[in-house]
Amino acid sequence: MDVVVKDNVALEKDIVILGIETSCDETSAAVLRNGRELLSHIISSQVKTHQKFGGVVPEVASREHILHLQGVVEEALKEAKIDFKDLAGIAVTYGPGLVGSLLVGVAGAKAMAYGAGIPLLGINHLEGHIYANFLSDPELKFPLLALLVSGGHTHLVYFENHGQYEVLGRTRDDAAGEALDKIARALDLGYPGGPYIEKAALKGDPQAFDFPRAMLEPGSLDFSFSGVKSAVLNTLNTARMKGITLKVEDVAASFQEAIVDVLVRKTILALEKTKAPTLVLAGGVAANTLLRERLTEVAQEQGVYFTYPPPVLCTDNGAMIAVAGYYHYLTQDYAPWDLNAVPGLNLA
Ligand code: KG4
Ligand code: ZN
């Protein structure tokens, strides 16, 4: 397949990137100028559609993306007062995520970029989450340590520079967000669970239950959240069998405390190991206030610069994809026209 790609890398020209995100249950598009200036940001959330099922139904998610992608992109371009011909490139999430959802974004972005004769930029969703920090903090500099906590992933990543990183630790079972969602469901709190656990925890006692903290082998930067999840489920089942009513808020607060405690302790260990001068937080769980507060204290104690995006840039969004796309564009790291969705894509 041949297509003429315009060379827009001329520095005197504004570099405008359209970012598209459809990996899970948000259809989102953003227009970003010169890597920092967000001209528009549209997010069409499917949360209400999936809420009645207690979680994302993949088939429904891809259909919703098909219905909304074009409208979301048109709205983003209109609000930004940008035409396809003004774009330098189109960035799209190609993994990880739900295969059907990813395919809608990838196919749409491909068609748009091909039609406009501009580069297609394939973005790893996890990288996108971390790059949201470059949008909220324009002064951000490498090297940095990133704690990425989302619904599907929990990673500690050391970044030397753009594209140069090392994964220091990852979850061996459940992701932090996944565990929060499962316990919220068991407590009948709602979906997605993280914000509901956080809200309930405000009225609960974090010391009411001593749930386990899996630290794994000494020095390990990996995570494991299936143990604490099972411990909470056992506590709930035992109480039910004995006819004891537990205070939901106490369970939520103690569980949140255990999750945040492990995340913070592993981050301290990673800061000590890497001597990173900067720490960034990313992913949906990064919206959690307790986690933000605890890490702020840690950073102060350790003399480390700490930053995190506002909640809207923590959960899935197109702006973070546009930021990562901007850096791919600068290094002319264009995706091939046969780019495919990679549901199991990870950080190498
Ligand atoms: O990054 P994200 O939007 O999607 C994935 O890439 O997975 O993360 C979604 C996760 C869900 O598990 C959700 O419960 C969690 O982020 N989350 C939170 C909060 N807001 C969203 N967890 C804790 N506290 C929050 N305020
Ligand atoms: Zn995400």
Side-chain angles (χ1 to χ4, degrees), residues 194-251:
Y196 287 99
I197 294 272
E198 175 164 36
K199 195 164 168 236
L202 287 173
K203 292 189 208 123
D205 173 8
Q207 316 300 337
F209 300 90
D210 186 17
F211 293 130
R213 277 84 162 143
M215 291 303 286
L216 308 172
E217 318 75 67
S220 170
L221 294 175
D222 279 350
F223 299 91
S224 167
F225 294 108
S226 67
V228 61
K229 181 192 69 184
S230 301
V232 178
L233 292 175
N234 285 343
T235 304
L236 297 179
N237 284 339
T238 309
R240 202 168 296 137
M241 280 188 307
K242 292 184 177 167
I244 302 168
T245 308
L246 299 178
K247 196 173 156 201
V248 168
E249 289 82 1
D250 283 349
V251 178

Side-chain angles (χ1 to χ4, degrees), residues 21 23-24 96 125-126 129 148-153 283-284 314-317 320:
E21 158 63 36
S23 70
C24 191
H125 180 81
L126 307 178
H129 270 303
L148 167 64
V149 264
S150 71
H153 296 83
C314 288
T315 45
D316 293 348
N317 67 87
M320 67 186 199

Side-chain angles (χ1 to χ4, degrees), residues 293-327:
E293 285 173 0
R294 290 281 163 82
L295 288 177
T296 302
E297 286 162 23
V298 166
Q300 269 164 7
E301 279 160 25
Q302 310 244 344
V304 165
Y305 179 73
F306 176 48
T307 187
Y308 48 79
V312 68
L313 295 179
C314 288
T315 45
D316 293 348
N317 67 87
M320 67 186 199
I321 303 306
V323 187
Y326 171 76
Y327 289 99

